[in-house]
């Protein structure tokens, strides 16, 4: 009976339309790995696995079209995201993206970006404008990740409002095209207090944010229950490949 029940759960889960959103940060070209840093060979193995398993990578604009007009998504959609705008997203990740014909989305922190060519090591950690301009818009799109990476859980509604306004204003001044999509810094938002959470949603809507992302480590059933609270899977560089496969397959918990 137990075996039959488990088989039934797997079959049900596979039939439910789901969106997987992967969250990355840094990519190393020298084999370094930690919670935020995935080595290039691991990322390449993950890209290869996604394609072999029939997953189709999306851009943020694809997901927006789905939520706006019910434009159908592919059978196994996956949204690949990178937070903070580290320069290795261009120097290490982007060549792999082109090699495998993948698509990715980078959530930018405009205060971190380098407007001119940076020569010192400290300023070379984040993307430069020339890097952003060099990436193919058919393969990479950009979203918002706050102005300077302050936790929205700790800010007042007015401070969050001003943060989003400043984020968009600075990206526009840099002539960087972005989608009306926001990833919460640290995945944090006013989760516990329903009144503050509702005000938070209203602030996002007032700033024309159509899709917003937390962490959560769960799969998202389609259609999306709350487009302003999409869950992402935290892909860590210090986890084994088997953990990636398990997380991709069922998230943190079974459905």
């Amino acid at each position: 009976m137990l075996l039959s029940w488990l088989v039934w759960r797997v079959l049900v889960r596979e039939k439910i339309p789901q969106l997987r959103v992967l969250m990355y940060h840094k990519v190393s070209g020298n084999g370094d790995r930690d919670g935020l840093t995935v080595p290039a060979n691991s990322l390449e193995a993950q890209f290869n696995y996604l394609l072999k398993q029939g997953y189709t990578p999306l851009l943020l604009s694809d997901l927006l079209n789905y939520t706006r007009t019910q434009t159908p998504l592919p059978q196994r959609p996956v949204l690949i995201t990178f937070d903070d705008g580290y320069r290795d997203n261009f120097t290490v990740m982007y060549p792999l993206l082109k090699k495998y014909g993948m698509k990715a989305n980078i959530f930018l922190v405009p205060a971190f970006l380098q407007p001119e060519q940076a020569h010192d090591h400290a300023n070379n950690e984040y993307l430069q404008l020339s890097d952003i301009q060099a990436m193919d818009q058919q393969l990479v799109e950009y979203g918002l990740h706050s102005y300077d990476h302050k936790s929205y859980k700790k800010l007042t509604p007015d401070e969050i409002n001003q943060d989003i306004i400043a984020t968009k204003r600075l990206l526009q001044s840099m002539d960087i095209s972005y989608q009306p999509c926001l990833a919460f810094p640290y995945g944090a938002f006013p989760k516990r207090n329903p009144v503050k959470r509702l005000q938070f949603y209203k602030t996002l809507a007032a700033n024309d944010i159509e899709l917003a992302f937390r962490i959560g480590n769960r799969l998202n059933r389609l259609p999306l229950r709350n487009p302003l609270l999409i869950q992402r899977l935290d892909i860590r560089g210090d986890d084994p490949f088997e953990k990636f496969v398990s997380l991709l397959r069922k998230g943190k918990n079974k459905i």
Side-chain angles (χ1 to χ4, degrees), residues 144 146-147 150-168 182 184-185 188-191 196-197 199-207 209:
L144 314 178
S146 83
Y147 179 81
K150 289 186 174 70
S151 172
Y152 283 173
K153 187 177 180 179
K154 299 179 180 179
L155 300 182
T156 66
D158 183 62
E159 288 172 333
I160 294 172
N161 180 60
Q162 293 303 316
D163 179 273
I164 297 174
I165 291 173
T167 302
K168 295 195 292 186
L182 170 70
F184 310 148
F189 64 102
K191 180 179 179 181
K196 290 183 178 180
R197 187 170 67 246
Q199 179 60 52
F200 180 61
Y201 293 151
K202 290 180 178 180
T203 300
L204 297 182
N207 284 280
I209 301 299

Side-chain angles (χ1 to χ4, degrees), residues 19-84:
L19 170 68
R20 291 156 170 85
V21 184
L22 310 185
M23 181 185 71
Y24 295 90
H25 290 81
K26 302 178 183 179
V27 184
S28 69
N30 60 5
D32 287 349
R33 63 175 69 223
D34 55 38
L36 293 181
T37 310
V38 175
N41 62 337
S42 294
L43 183 64
E44 186 166 11
Q46 292 167 8
F47 280 178
N48 199 17
Y49 181 82
L50 289 170
L51 293 177
K52 286 185 176 180
Q53 293 299 312
Y55 289 97
T56 300
L58 305 178
L59 293 173
L60 288 168
S61 57
D62 296 322
L63 190 56
L64 284 166
N65 287 335
Y66 169 76
T67 58
R68 289 169 177 170
T69 65
Q70 290 73 55
T71 302
L73 293 176
Q75 187 173 5
R76 306 192 86 182
V78 61
L79 192 75
I80 300 171
T81 68
F82 289 81
D83 283 5
D84 303 335

Side-chain angles (χ1 to χ4, degrees), residues 9-23:
R9 287 295 295 265
V10 170
L11 291 175
V12 169
R13 184 174 61 244
E14 289 299 319
K15 290 182 179 180
I16 298 173
Q18 297 166 336
L19 170 68
R20 291 156 170 85
V21 184
L22 310 185
M23 181 185 71

